[in-house]
Amino acid sequence: MRVRTPILVTVFCLLMSDALLAQQELFPFVVPWDAAPSGVADMSGLLHRPAGRFGYVRVGADGHFYVGAQRIRFWGVNMTADACFQHKDNAPKVAARLARAGVNIVRFHHMDAPWSNPSLINYSTGGSRQLNAQAMDNLHYFFHQLKREGIYANINLLVHRRFSSRDGLPAAIDSVSDMKDQHVIGTFYQPMIELQKEYARLVLTHRNPYTGMTYAQDPAVAFVEINNENGLIHGFLGGVIDRIPPVFRADLQRQWNRWLLNKYRTTSALRRAWGERSEPLGQEMLNNGRFTNGLTGWTLEQHAGAQATATQTTTAPTGYTHSVHIRVTNPGSQSWHVQLAQAGLRVVGGRLYTLSFWARADANRTLSVAVTMDRDPWQALSPWHSAELTPSWRRYEYTFTISQTESSARLLFSNMGTQTGSYWITGVSLRPGGTLRALPEGQSLEAGNVAIVLRRDWGATMDTVQRDWLRFLRDTEERYWTEMYNYLKRDLGVAALVTGTIVGCTTPNLMARMDLVDTHSYWQHPEFPGGGWDNRNWFIRNLPMVNERGGTIAGLATKRVLGKPHTLSEYNHPAPNTYTSEGLLLIAAYGLLQDWDAIYFYTYAHRRDNLDARRITGYFDIDQHPTQWVAAVAAGAMFLRGDVARAQRVVGVTLNREQEIEALRGSWAWRLVDGADAGLRGEIALRHRLVVAVEGQTLPAGVLRPGQVNTAGNSITSDTGQLRWDWSVPGKGVVSIAAPMSKAVVGFGGGRRFDLGDGVVVEPGTTRQNGFGVIALTVKQGSFSPRPTLPLRALITATGYVQNTGWGWRELGDNRVTLGENWGTAPTLVEGVPARITLPIDANMVEAYALDERGDRKARLPVSRDARGNAVIQLSAQYQTLWYEVVAVAR
């Protein structure tokens, strides 16, 4: 007892001092741009040199990446725009820094952007068909340095290229201001497809003077990506087809008519297939549709602080005497915050109804109208129709089918809630019956003038037409991916693996035809209320992902295609989120549980100048972000080594091409369709592996169905027992990682005790953010299991709150925060995260050191002992560091 009392008092005092230090000033911690992680933080030994040493990256029979006979996982970063063309003096330093951080692949992204300085395209010629020789030379040299360090490449082809009429395209292309809209045209318009092939040939067959090889033949090029975050279906759902110039819509209409002709042969067959119907019109269902009796029968709804008035006026079209004038004086935040309704209707499922009305507005505005439930869940019973109003009176008429019988229905005019203004409506009529036309008069297959479907008319488009239109878009998009893939592989001889774009912007069935399936995800991506990327008007939601049931992981795992490598080529928890330290360890750990094949952080940097910024430079760049950089080293080692075991059980669903079509009918541009549409619950990914069997595949024997898995409760433990996501303390989610070589506590662990297996116990202390912190232990040499193997050497990282000096933090409510244009100045400031760590090794054998920004030892920590004589290390804010080294040797 005499021996133990001083130790307990010392530990108590250390804990108390850290509780006080956590409330004190932050300290500078600057990641040096030109010094690679050293000592215990140097993970370059996990890479083989040079990249491509064992031959081309290939896909094995098990659906994973291999080089030679060995499986390879990729832990990477994006290089964006300017950063792809590092100055030659800096390129070796950046390559070495990445390699020692454990990065073994770089995704070259936005090389073609006109705002990149330089760009790989020489836009000074007026067009986009010539490469920039100096930029190409810088790319060649940087690639060469990366290859020497053991870092592979992922080359993106079409990302942000600006096409123009000087490329030989119609003059109308110059009026398409959004480059991503141009790229949607490039999925079906053959002259633009040929320009993409030309660019691919110029880049991939260019011989690198520093390697002596072309990118098409170099085994250090692991992947080539055809078109970043794009596709024809994606573009349609995003309204791109509605707004592109007529010359391109005409070409799409020509292809649409050819597709319909091949399928139906005659217009009469098309009409039958699309199910035209006609029923006699019945009695009027509405009361006071001409507003001659004031507002009798009508209700003006105002929600969430929106303010509006509805008054009877004598302003009316010819043949009418009155109308209702709706004047919105104070808008809300949602379109439905101002609505006009008439309730008390009964409708019959499967029957036709015809709605007509007259309307105008004080400016060009869109009014939405539908028949909906007049009770919870308030769902629409008819399609939503969009009436494009002008200052002149116009008559609108829609015939539609009611989805289900409902005795408590209403007619609802909506979409008036987000802006001030005036609307006038009269002559409103709703009657059973009518004629539901598939083709307007004058359109036929024989004339080749069947109109394309526009997104704005989607709600009023018949189900049968919707399905055929989506099938046409799918087939057209598939032809694009196949044509580009074959050109790269057959015509150019590209040895690298090829993918099209991400699932999310296209479908799993389409990407299953590529060599791998790729995804992107961000936790709390910046939002821009005014549109565009306005650096003055933006916000992020400063929320921790550990408080969600799976967060991004749940959405990503439902996109995994059976038998295909699964990659995540963009991932980030963007700044200024102050919980950002959690991101990389979470995605690495659960990526391993899911047995994914590659994870890339977006992005290392957008810059090649001012590399010594000494502060966080924007939402995404991690090169100068201290907590993300430190976390990346530990997470990278975990992922590359496969420290977390893959889940033992697999849960799967089948998603064929027609299922995709049905799901797409109710989808949107940035989340098209995935396994969730077939019932695959994303949170199951916290316990088991998830897969989606696409057309032509059969789920293997033993695969569980989603209904067989219960994920209820306030925690989910992986079926390996190594990962546990715990929400048992409200608002204090925490993930524990208990793998033999990687152990961590991620989240609100302050004041709690975590047994991470093998005798390792972590007890986080008080922090600035309610006990939030990320503490990871990465064994580099030796092991804890099954018994300590000495010598043992381990890296401990402890990260939490981070900011720039003097940044303009503003809270906007509802967890929304912004910095506006004030990102502050150097240096970055961090907190020291306290923790007590117990190791299953005699205290006499253990030494511990605080590390400086480079990873070199700067101060020795005292090592105490617990009641069993095991080593106890106290991480403390007083050491002003984010990482530590532990060494254990036999004495």
Side-chain angles (χ1 to χ4, degrees):
M1 185 65 80
R2 286 194 299 267
V3 175
R4 293 177 186 169
T5 300
I7 297 172
L8 291 174
V9 170
T10 301
V11 170
F12 175 77
C13 290
L14 282 169
L15 286 170
M16 288 300 294
S17 64
D18 275 318
L20 295 172
L21 282 167
Q23 307 303 320
Q24 295 177 6
E25 292 298 316
L26 303 171
F27 58 85
F29 194 92
V30 173
V31 178
W33 80 270
D34 57 350
S38 59
V40 70
D42 178 0
M43 299 299 172
S44 60
L46 300 174
L47 282 58
H48 59 256
R49 295 182 176 87
R53 172 184 175 185
F54 299 107
Y56 298 109
V57 178
R58 61 182 179 85
V59 179
D62 59 356
H64 297 296
F65 297 136
Y66 284 81
V67 286
Q70 61 181 309
R71 180 177 174 183
I72 185 171
R73 295 181 183 87
F74 290 103
W75 180 255
V77 295
N78 284 257
M79 286 287 173
T80 302
D82 308 22
C84 298
F85 314 105
Q86 293 293 327
H87 295 293
K88 289 185 177 180
D89 289 347
N90 296 338
K93 297 177 183 178
V94 173
R97 185 175 189 240
L98 290 171
R100 291 195 184 184
V103 170
N104 69 342
I105 193 164
V106 161
R107 180 174 180 247
F108 287 99
H109 192 55
H110 280 296
M111 291 192 295
D112 57 352
W115 46 264
S116 178
N117 183 25
S119 172
L120 195 55
I121 293 175
N122 184 3
Y123 287 101
S124 66
T125 63
S128 67
R129 299 181 64 179
Q130 293 185 28
L131 299 185
N132 180 329
Q134 185 58 59
M136 180 62 85
D137 186 61
N138 281 85
L139 174 67
H140 286 331
Y141 188 74
F142 188 32
F143 173 90
H144 167 59
Q145 294 298 325
L146 293 168
K147 179 178 179 177
R148 289 179 58 186
E149 294 287 351
I151 301 173
Y152 288 79
N154 176 337
I155 295 179
N156 291 187
L157 295 178
L158 185 60
V159 182
H160 223 118
R161 180 180 180 182
R162 173 73 188 180
F163 293 93
S164 77
S165 57
R166 295 195 180 186
D167 297 326
L169 296 171
I173 195 65
D174 297 331
S175 69
V176 183
S177 58
D178 190 317
M179 285 168 274
K180 300 301 282 186
D181 285 8
Q182 289 191 338
H183 300 173
V184 173
I185 298 170
T187 63
F188 68 84
Y189 188 63
Q190 195 61 40
M192 290 186 71
I193 296 175
E194 295 304 320
L195 288 172
Q196 292 173 65
K197 291 179 182 178
E198 178 186 66
Y199 176 81
R201 176 178 57 78
L202 290 173
V203 173
L204 298 176
T205 64
H206 199 287
R207 191 168 301 278
N208 185 330
Y210 306 104
T211 65
M213 307 174 79
T214 67
Y215 293 117
Q217 65 186 189
D218 198 318
V221 178
F223 311 111
V224 173
E225 180 183 302
I226 296 170
N227 192 335
N228 175 67
E229 292 186 347
N230 221 323
L232 183 54
I233 301 171
H234 164 81
F236 166 72
L237 292 175
V240 176
I241 304 304
D242 293 32
R243 57 182 179 257
I244 61 176
V247 62
F248 303 114
R249 282 208 306 268
D251 188 73
L252 190 62
Q253 180 171 309
R254 176 186 60 79
Q255 296 181 46
W256 167 233
N257 279 263
R258 185 176 62 192
W259 187 91
L260 291 172
L261 187 63
N262 288 338
K263 183 172 184 178
Y264 294 111
R265 302 299 179 188
T266 66
T267 301
S268 58
L270 174 62
R271 289 184 183 275
R272 289 193 299 273
W274 280 359
E276 288 193 347
R277 295 170 57 188
S278 184
E279 299 174 4
L281 285 171
Q283 295 296 313
E284 178 61 54
M285 299 173 62
L286 298 178
N287 177 35
N288 192 30
R290 293 174 174 239
F291 297 95
T292 55
N293 193 21
L295 266 67
T296 300
W298 296 92
T299 301
L300 179 69
E301 298 183 9
Q302 302 166 74
H303 303 276
Q307 296 177 1
T309 59
T311 56
Q312 182 196 52
T313 73
T314 55
T315 300
T318 302
Y320 297 84
T321 59
H322 295 84
S323 69
V324 60
H325 174 206
I326 301 167
R327 182 168 175 261
V328 182
T329 54
N330 186 45
S333 60
Q334 301 293 328
S335 62
W336 55 270
H337 285 171
V338 175
Q339 303 183 129
L340 181 70
Q342 183 164 143
L345 306 179
R346 184 183 185 279
V347 291
V348 178
R351 288 201 60 183
L352 290 181
Y353 290 81
T354 297
L355 167 69
S356 62
F357 59 91
W358 286 81
R360 63 176 285 256
D362 60 343
N364 291 343
R365 303 186 188 278
T366 300
L367 187 68
S368 297
V369 60
V371 176
T372 75
M373 288 182 174
D374 192 31
R375 59 181 178 84
D376 192 40
W378 312 101
Q379 71 187 48
L381 303 169
S382 77
W384 278 101
H385 293 82
S386 297
E388 303 298 327
L389 308 189
T390 70
S392 300
W393 284 105
R394 289 181 56 189
R395 184 176 183 274
Y396 304 85
E397 181 174 302
Y398 308 105
T399 300
F400 47 81
T401 304
I402 290 292
S403 60
Q404 67 186 59
T405 299
E406 177 59 51
S407 60
S408 182
R410 61 179 178 167
L411 177 67
L412 187 66
F413 290 94
S414 189
N415 198 42
M416 295 181 283
T418 57
Q419 55 185 332
T420 59
S422 289
Y423 305 78
W424 291 264
I425 303 170
T426 193
V428 188
S429 170
L430 179 65
R431 302 169 65 184
T435 298
L436 187 63
R437 293 189 178 277
L439 287 177
E441 291 296 330
Q443 293 186 15
S444 69
L445 289 182
E446 291 77 13
N449 64 348
V450 177
I452 62 175
V453 178
L454 298 179
R455 179 61 169 163
R456 62 174 174 263
D457 299 328
W458 192 245
T461 302
M462 295 172 58
D463 295 353
T464 50
V465 181
Q466 285 186 357
R467 293 186 182 97
D468 262 353
W469 175 249
L470 288 169
R471 292 178 186 121
F472 161 70
L473 294 179
R474 176 198 63 199
D475 293 352
T476 305
E477 183 177 328
E478 184 172 32
R479 186 169 65 248
Y480 165 73
W481 297 126
T482 302
E483 182 175 347
M484 288 299 299
Y485 180 91
N486 289 339
Y487 179 75
L488 295 173
K489 301 295 282 188
R490 298 176 187 175
D491 293 37
L492 299 187
V494 171
L497 301 175
V498 174
T499 189
T501 194
I502 61 166
V503 170
C505 292
T506 191
T507 76
N509 271 278
L510 287 178
M511 286 303 98
R513 300 175 66 88
M514 301 285 109
D515 294 328
L516 59 118
V517 174
D518 192 27
T519 55
H520 293 171
S521 190
Y522 293 81
W523 174 252
Q524 305 304 333
H525 192 282
E527 298 180 49
F528 301 88
W533 286 75
D534 188 340
N535 61 7
R536 294 164 298 178
N537 183 19
W538 62 271
F539 65 85
I540 59 109
R541 296 186 187 275
N542 194 41
L543 295 169
M545 196 170 88
V546 287
N547 284 345
E548 300 293 324
R549 295 184 73 86
T552 57
I553 295 157
L556 288 165
T558 58
K559 297 173 173 60
R560 171 73 175 275
V561 172
L562 177 67
K564 286 288 183 179
H566 187 84
T567 68
L568 173 57
S569 63
E570 289 186 21
Y571 191 74
N572 201 325
H573 291 218
N577 189 307
T578 57
Y579 303 98
T580 190
S581 311
E582 67 185 349
L584 287 176
L585 281 161
L586 290 178
I587 203 66
Y590 282 95
L592 288 170
L593 183 74
Q594 291 301 311
D595 207 14
W596 295 344
D597 298 280
I599 296 173
Y600 308 67
F601 208 66
Y602 187 84
T603 181
Y604 179 80
H606 288 74
R607 316 175 317 283
R608 68 171 188 168
D609 297 309
N610 190 28
L611 296 183
D612 191 25
R614 300 173 56 82
R615 67 182 183 96
I616 300 167
T617 57
Y619 313 115
F620 307 112
D621 294 19
I622 71 163
D623 66 314
Q624 294 286 282
H625 193 302
T627 64
Q628 288 188 339
W629 182 253
V630 167
V633 175
M638 178 200 300
F639 190 76
L640 290 178
R641 299 186 308 197
D643 288 355
V644 173
R646 72 175 188 174
Q648 299 169 356
R649 302 299 303 270
V650 179
V651 181
V653 294
T654 298
L655 183 68
N656 60 39
R657 290 162 71 91
E658 281 304 297
Q659 285 177 286
E660 287 186 341
I661 294 298
E662 286 303 310
L664 287 169
R665 290 178 57 214
S667 186
W668 71 293
W670 287 96
R671 190 218 163 270
L672 297 193
V673 57
D674 56 39
D677 295 287
L680 191 57
R681 304 192 316 278
E683 66 181 31
I684 298 174
L686 306 185
R687 179 168 295 159
H688 305 302
R689 277 180 286 154
L690 304 190
V691 296
V692 177
V694 296
E695 188 91 18
Q697 293 183 326
T698 302
L699 289 171
V703 171
L704 300 173
R705 299 302 190 268
Q708 296 176 273
V709 182
N710 181 6
T711 54
N714 56 19
S715 68
I716 298 177
T717 301
S718 65
D719 63 18
T720 62
Q722 293 182 345
L723 303 179
R724 178 179 174 82
W725 203 315
D726 185 354
W727 307 275
S728 59
V729 179
K732 289 192 172 185
V734 63
V735 173
S736 55
I737 303 171
M741 300 292 284
S742 287
K743 301 178 183 295
V745 176
V746 182
F748 295 89
R752 299 157 73 177
R753 182 181 187 275
F754 298 88
D755 185 339
L756 302 182
D758 306 314
V760 177
V761 176
V762 174
E763 299 169 85
T766 303
T767 66
R768 293 174 63 92
Q769 299 187 106
N770 203 22
F772 176 89
V774 180
I775 300 165
L777 190 151
T778 305
V779 177
K780 187 172 182 182
Q781 180 184 9
S783 67
F784 292 117
S785 177
R787 64 178 60 183
T789 302
L790 304 181
L792 183 141
R793 195 178 186 202
L795 172 70
I796 297 175
T797 59
T799 56
Y801 182 85
V802 60
Q803 69 167 73
N804 287 335
T805 299
W807 66 6
W809 183 270
R810 286 188 289 129
E811 298 189 6
L812 306 176
D814 193 26
N815 297 303
R816 296 173 303 142
V817 300
T818 187
L819 305 177
E821 294 183 284
N822 181 11
W823 281 81
T825 60
T828 47
L829 304 174
V830 300
E831 70 170 322
V833 175
R836 170 188 165 105
I837 300 177
T838 303
L839 305 177
I841 305 173
D842 188 296
N844 292 325
M845 301 179 181
V846 176
E847 295 177 359
Y849 300 90
L851 306 179
D852 64 15
E853 290 92 334
R854 291 170 170 78
D856 293 330
R857 296 174 179 176
K858 70 172 185 177
R860 186 166 176 172
L861 277 65
V863 177
S864 58
R865 65 179 65 240
D866 67 4
R868 298 182 178 180
N870 289 329
V872 176
I873 301 167
Q874 182 67 41
L875 312 186
S876 174
Q878 73 186 64
Y879 298 112
Q880 298 199 353
T881 188
L882 300 181
W883 47 11
Y884 303 81
E885 179 181 5
V886 175
V887 178
V889 295
R891 299 188 190 280

